[in-house]
Amino acid sequence: MTETALPLRISLKTWIYKTYMRAGMIQLILVNAAFLFALFGAFFLLGLNQQSAAKKEYEQQLIAALQSKTDWVNAQLGSVQSQLHILRRQTERTLASDLPGDLSTPLGLTRDNVLMKTVDDGGVAVYYSTKSRDLSSRETKARQLLPLNYLFADLQQANSLVKQVYLNTSDQLNLLYPYRNVHEQFAPDLDLTSFSFYYLADKTHNPQRQPVWTDAYLDPAGLGWIISYIAPVYDGDSLEAVVGLDLTVEALISHLFALPQPWSGYAILVGKDGNILALPPEGEEDFGLKELTDGQYSFRHVTTNEFKPELFNLYKRPGMTDLSRLVAHQQAGLAQVNLSEPSVVAWNTVPLTGWKLLAVTPEQALYVGADNFADYLQDVGLLVLLLILILLALHMGVHKARSYKLYRQIKGPLEYFDEVARTSLEDKASSKKDLSSPVEEIHNLASLLHRFVHENDTLKQEMAQYQASCHKLNDYFRNLLNTIPLPVFDTDGEFRIQGCNRAFESFFGKTEEEFRGHLLTEFIPVTPVDEGTFVKELVLASADDKNHPVSVVLSRSSDSARSRDARGRTLVGLLFDLSEQYQIRDQMKFDRDRALEASKLQTEYLQAMRRELEKPLQNILSLTEQIQAQPEQRERLSLQLKEKVDALMYLTRDNWLAGSAETNEKQKRGSQSQAQVLVVDDGPVNTMLAKSALQKVGYDVDVVNSGQDALEQMLEKTYQVVLMDIFMPDMDGIETTIRWREREKAMQLQPAAIIAVTANVLETERQRFFDAGMNAYLAKPYHPSELRSQVDHWRQQYEEGRVPF
């Protein structure tokens, strides 16, 4: 038994201080903790509420500022629309007039037969493509429209967003203001009607004949990325021309983002189809894009529509699915997204064009005021916590002074008790000093202490006698344990081995000193019981490295005197060798399984025979009853009865094991070839039935009862098919097959077909048969026809040399 663990000892002064403080401070601490919990809970809820309200207020401010910008964009675009309406009306009047037009402007043909203006006088540029239907009338039509030059100039100068004014006719005439040397930009046979700034206004795309906004495209005149507002000009039902005003993306960005920003962020202009029309430098990093400018492209000889890449389509960008869905289907709204940092995106719709104006601002910048308020509440809470801690420190100081006073009052009697006890232990004379204390209980304790001192000598004498008797009992117990032939051990309360007999030492090959102090589970893997007896069967390795099945018996003491303390209990164990019992049990199980297998196979054969004989017997019985009932038909019925009896005799003599007509044919073939079959099975019933079924169809069948006999038999005769039982004593079917294949390879023999024959095997176990070299599997019990079919198939495979190995 081990010594009982003692609690940590502290001084009287410390004990009184802790007890006094615990009694006086716990309530105060609990009250303060509850107060702090309520205070910080209120601060937390107030902070959440105020932070949420502040965030909503900042969001409303962001939406209001965005609405203001949207109104500005809408107003600017409205101004552009008004200008286009004037240009459209004036163009209709000019085309309808019969005036000769402007005759002073010098026009001429280039070497490529393009009609163009030959002098840069600051007016419009003229370009008449060679794709014109009537080349001879090009100059007349161009001069008819040249008076619009002054209107083009006024419209372009009246609105800083408008960078270009143009007119395109269906006959490939282009008037462009301000003047550009379009001959260097346009190909001679440029088809202006194939560009979006023309065909979006034709009858097919715009049957309502309304002005429309184009998406951003690359200007063939070299202005860069532009957005056009175009309108068709009709003469009756004939589309004569398309007029338009161009806004460059660069100008739109500079004007849009020159407005004062009420928030820390930037704005994005998105077209109706999701294309980003305007993206400031701040947004390029967030969206991983670089705004396309004229410095990035060569604008010479643009002959086809060139739109912004798909990456500039907000609705098709990966990672923007949720935001794209909201922006595309809602006129206005607000959402949180993760760009380069968590951000808030607000959007609004420009009424005139359906474009979306997006305001993007970092959450940290938008909600800075709300976060500052939360930090302020946190600082206030920490200040309150500091004040409470100061008050607690003062309160503890007062209680510490009071506890010291109490310590001085108790110390005197304890010193007196200590002095009396020491003199008794050291066999000195008792002190005659009287105890001075106003407490009656302390005087009673002093009287009791003197009685204990008086009885101390008697107890010492009794203890010495008891220890001597314990040594005698221990010696007797040790001698008794060593006489027991079974391994015996005992442990302490923590299941550490305290002792063992010589049989236990011999089993594990260690001395008692090597065992002592080690946990029981290091040598025997069991979980000790709490009380009572516990038995478990295990396999343990002995000192000679052999595995021994043993039965471990553990007994835990249930001494009522020690039941309150589990540490005082001991555990004693025995080890019983079960090797011989295991062998007997395994042999009995093997014999039982063999008997059940044979019985099941016999039953299956008898049931099959009964099913095949039942119908012929019923026919014979029916003919017998007819002979008795119809005497006049006796001769005819007797002949039929004789035929039925002969057929039954043939069936029982030959067909029971030979099977159908097809099997009879196989019998003839088998008797000619005399195929060699080996049956390997230790069950006499199984071998008898298999041999009978195969011999009836002409096979030469040999029977052996073990794997070793099978290996010896293959040295005497060559077999085409081997029926291999799996479960056999000494050497099972799998090991026999492996050795059979090795001998075939060493003797350079043609591989025989090996069929595994066994019962109750899982699919996963069958793979072991094939891995060992077997070719097929037949489950017991089997019908004779199944056996013959398998043997016929593999005999043919053998003859054709197709048995896999």
Side-chain angles (χ1 to χ4, degrees), residues 612-613 616-617 619-620 640-656:
E612 293 193 18
L613 296 179
L617 289 174
N619 293 334
I620 292 173
Q640 294 181 6
L641 178 62
K642 183 177 182 302
E643 293 177 357
K644 296 294 183 181
V645 171
D646 291 342
L648 179 61
M649 294 296 293
Y650 174 76
L651 178 65
T652 55
R653 183 181 66 254
D654 298 323
N655 287 11
W656 162 240

Side-chain angles (χ1 to χ4, degrees), residues 454-470:
H454 177 71
E455 296 176 0
N456 185 42
D457 294 338
T458 304
L459 292 176
K460 287 181 179 179
Q461 294 175 0
E462 293 177 355
M463 180 62 69
Q465 296 174 358
Y466 175 75
Q467 289 177 350
S469 64
C470 286

Side-chain angles (χ1 to χ4, degrees), residues 489 520 526-529 532-535 552-556 571-573:
F489 62 91
L520 171 63
V526 295
T527 302
V529 295
T533 302
F534 172 74
V535 181
V552 182
V553 182
L554 305 177
S555 178
R556 185 76 176 272
L571 185 143
V572 179

Side-chain angles (χ1 to χ4, degrees), residues 440-552:
E440 181 178 357
E441 286 76 4
I442 292 179
H443 281 281
N444 295 336
L445 181 59
S447 300
L448 183 61
L449 181 60
H450 284 293
R451 289 178 56 189
F452 286 157
V453 170
H454 177 71
E455 296 176 0
N456 185 42
D457 294 338
T458 304
L459 292 176
K460 287 181 179 179
Q461 294 175 0
E462 293 177 355
M463 180 62 69
Q465 296 174 358
Y466 175 75
Q467 289 177 350
S469 64
C470 286
H471 285 302
K472 293 180 180 180
L473 288 175
N474 286 339
D475 294 338
Y476 174 77
F477 181 69
R478 167 59 57 192
N479 295 331
L480 179 63
L481 283 179
N482 288 331
T483 60
I484 299 175
L486 297 176
V488 182
F489 62 91
D490 68 315
T491 72
D492 60 9
E494 295 180 351
F495 311 113
R496 296 186 180 277
I497 297 177
Q498 295 298 297
C500 62
N501 63 355
R502 292 193 180 93
F504 193 84
E505 292 177 345
S506 175
F507 184 86
F508 287 102
K510 296 180 180 292
T511 64
E512 184 177 12
E513 292 301 323
E514 292 176 302
F515 281 118
R516 193 183 305 277
H518 287 274
L519 287 174
L520 171 63
T521 53
E522 295 181 26
F523 305 99
I524 305 176
V526 295
T527 302
V529 295
D530 291 335
E531 188 171 311
T533 302
F534 172 74
V535 181
K536 186 172 183 179
E537 293 185 0
L538 297 170
V539 177
L540 300 180
S542 63
D544 55 359
D545 292 332
K546 293 184 180 180
N547 292 331
H548 296 270
V550 298
S551 177
V552 182

